[in-house]
Amino acid sequence: EDISDGNVPTGEVTLISPGGLTKLNDVTSPYNGWFYITFKDNQSILLTFKDQCGNKASATITVDSIDTSIPSLSITWMPYYISPEGEAQYDIPSDRMTNTDVFATLVFDRPIRRIDTSISFDYAMTFTDVTDNSYDNLFTLVYGSDTATVTFKENDVVLRLTITALNGKSITEYIFGPYIIDKIPPNITQIIQYSYNTGGTIPVSALIKLTPDEDVYMIGGKTPEKVFAQGEEIRFTVFEKGIYSYRFTDMAGNMRVVNVNVDQDMDRTIPVITIDKGPDDPTKNDVLVKVSMNEAGTIKISGITHPVAKDQVLTVNIANNGSYPVIGTDNAGNQNITTFVIGFIDKIKPEITFMRSASPIRQNSDPGDLTAILEDKSYLVSDNMSAPEKITVTYDKTFVKLGTPGTYPVLYTAVDETGNQGTATRFIKVYSEKDLEVLLNGQKTEREGTLVIITKQVTLSVTNPIGDEPYTVYIRSGLKTEGQMKTGTIIEPDENGVFTVPSNGFYTLYIVTQSRQTYITRIYVEIGG
């Protein structure tokens, strides 16, 4: 209207633009005669009018409160996906099998009016409208103005949801139910297989074979983390009659208890063998070993099988030391193998070893000197069982003639604990009472013999039984004859009879007295000193 003249309407105005607007023709309305326009979208319109005098005026109408956007939503899952790194991703369903329902929670960005639902199976994408509760065994949908919850109860379900907001705008969302729901316990096939010993009629064990129809864990097993694959045969061996229970869970957590009835008696007990071999005292006789078994059956010793009754004593003659296996078999075929050892049969003679094959003694020496030589421990006695101190040693000196130079045998006899006798001959060399007595470092030498010493410094002592007469000493390196001793390099003792050899090895000592009596012997220097 035009009220420019004193605020008094001055007549009609004419709408120049936009064109096409109409006036309200309703005398009952206070806005009767007003132009009107319907806004179907947010926009601005410039209005231009003129009064009767041609004066123009403009005004802009802006509408920005009309909601024309479609709704949007976010989805979270329970259970949700956990990455290999352990990171939780709530917007992705879990890939792990479960024996519970799977929930998808939808959160809308604006209030909604309704949700229309269609269902498809096996991801075929051919949908059927859901108008009642016919599919409640597969899924349920509960929604309010801001959220909705889809509960998947089974696999192979795809939902198409048409979500309409209060402004009438809608969006279509496809919810793919994850293939992880398993509410059926695994099925376990069981087989019992009995085992028998050869010739036996009573089983000794039972083999239980369990085969799952899907991948499973075994609860309470030795390896609870191990996955037994579908069709894999799980074996257990039992030895007693009874009911055996085994618990399994599949990958979703469904449990199956398998009760296996092993209904046959079994004899798995091995017989007990008793062995009595008597005292372990040394003996040179055969040993009688007594063997028995607490069950009837057979006892095999040294390759011979003997039938025996329960607790019957079997006596076996053992002639030699050794390890003897005993195999006891009861009438059910159960077998026990044990071994006894006989190590105290002594049929071996002791041995005597002399340090020197011949021991010297001067002609017409006192018999006590001979006894001292014969009883001197210059010999070793040994036995396979008896310790040296338990071996009795005797000797026979009957043939030794102290008055006549020569070599005479002395028979030594050694008797061990079991009476085994061993003998050895020792020789006594009676040298002339006129012979020189030559000592090296206090040890008696023998004419044409060899003496071992362990020092390079040697002290020579010479006793001449026919009197104190001068003598000449020749010492040369190596093994020499009398004819070779008077030429070449000679080692001479000092006034005290002491001389030093330059190195280890053999040396020859040659002595010539004023009366032309000669004496030759050898020295072996073993180590330096």
Side-chain angles (χ1 to χ4, degrees), residues 43-60:
Q43 65 181 112
S44 295
I45 295 179
L46 178 63
L47 300 176
T48 303
F49 294 89
K50 68 178 179 177
D51 60 14
Q52 292 179 345
C53 296
N55 299 303
K56 295 180 180 180
S58 297
T60 299

Side-chain angles (χ1 to χ4, degrees), residues 96-399:
R96 301 179 183 180
M97 300 301 294
T98 178
N99 60 356
T100 62
D101 296 340
V102 175
F103 303 91
T105 300
L106 288 62
V107 179
F108 308 111
D109 66 340
R110 66 193 64 248
I112 63 169
R113 179 182 301 164
R114 72 173 188 274
I115 298 178
D116 299 310
T117 307
S118 299
I119 188 170
S120 177
F121 304 98
D122 293 327
Y123 300 161
M125 305 305 284
T126 300
F127 290 91
T128 301
D129 292 340
V130 178
T131 58
D132 53 24
N133 58 356
S134 300
Y135 300 101
D136 282 357
N137 62 317
L138 302 179
F139 82 99
T140 58
L141 171 64
V142 178
Y143 65 91
S145 61
D146 299 317
T147 61
T149 300
V150 179
T151 302
F152 289 97
K153 301 178 180 180
E154 295 291 344
N155 297 312
D156 303 332
V157 175
V158 181
L159 299 181
R160 183 177 65 191
L161 304 181
T162 301
I163 303 163
T164 304
L166 293 179
N167 64 355
K169 304 294 183 178
S170 62
I171 184 175
T172 299
E173 186 76 20
Y174 293 88
I175 310 295
F176 292 84
Y179 193 79
I180 61 173
I181 299 174
D182 179 6
K183 298 181 180 180
I184 301 175
N187 185 45
I188 310 294
T189 302
Q190 58 174 274
I191 297 175
I192 302 174
Q193 181 178 320
Y194 292 96
S195 296
Y196 298 82
N197 284 324
T198 302
T201 57
I202 300 175
V204 296
S205 65
L207 178 63
I208 299 173
K209 300 179 181 180
L210 304 176
T211 306
D213 65 347
E214 59 178 304
D215 295 354
V216 295
Y217 296 103
M218 182 176 178
I219 302 174
K222 293 182 179 180
T223 54
E225 73 284 354
K226 174 179 172 58
V227 176
F228 293 95
Q230 174 185 354
E232 180 179 353
E233 194 174 79
I234 309 169
R235 297 186 170 201
F236 303 95
T237 300
V238 298
F239 306 103
E240 295 181 0
K241 178 181 179 180
I243 296 177
Y244 295 84
S245 294
Y246 304 93
R247 292 187 299 163
F248 297 90
T249 62
D250 58 18
M251 300 297 102
N254 301 296
M255 180 182 294
R256 174 74 71 181
V257 179
V258 180
N259 294 315
V260 181
N261 183 19
V262 179
D263 58 0
Q264 294 191 35
D265 291 316
M266 289 174 280
D267 180 8
R268 186 69 177 183
T269 304
I270 62 175
V272 177
I273 299 174
T274 302
I275 299 174
D276 180 9
K277 57 183 179 179
D280 289 348
D281 299 330
T283 178
K284 62 180 180 179
N285 301 317
D286 293 352
V287 176
L288 298 179
V289 178
K290 298 178 179 179
V291 182
S292 62
M293 192 167 65
N294 69 335
E295 297 183 56
T298 60
I299 294 178
K300 184 177 182 180
I301 303 177
S302 300
I304 302 175
T305 301
H306 308 269
V308 293
K310 177 182 178 182
D311 297 326
Q312 176 186 344
V313 177
L314 176 68
T315 301
V316 181
N317 187 75
I318 303 298
N320 298 297
N321 292 325
S323 178
Y324 294 86
V326 179
I327 303 174
T329 307
D330 63 18
N331 289 334
N334 298 304
Q335 195 172 82
N336 187 7
I337 301 176
T338 186
T339 301
F340 67 87
V341 177
I342 298 297
F344 48 87
I345 298 176
D346 183 8
K347 298 182 180 181
I348 299 177
K349 301 176 181 180
E351 294 183 354
I352 303 174
T353 303
F354 298 103
M355 305 298 183
R356 303 172 69 176
S357 60
S359 297
I361 188 171
R362 185 177 294 278
Q363 181 185 7
N364 294 321
S365 292
D366 187 273
D369 294 337
L370 175 62
T371 299
I373 292 174
L374 296 177
E375 294 184 356
D376 179 64
K377 296 300 182 181
S378 58
Y379 60 85
L380 296 176
V381 60
S382 61
D383 187 65
N384 64 314
M385 294 187 64
S386 298
E389 63 271 15
K390 293 187 177 182
I391 300 175
T392 302
V393 178
T394 59
Y395 55 84
D396 181 6
K397 61 179 180 179
T398 304
F399 299 103

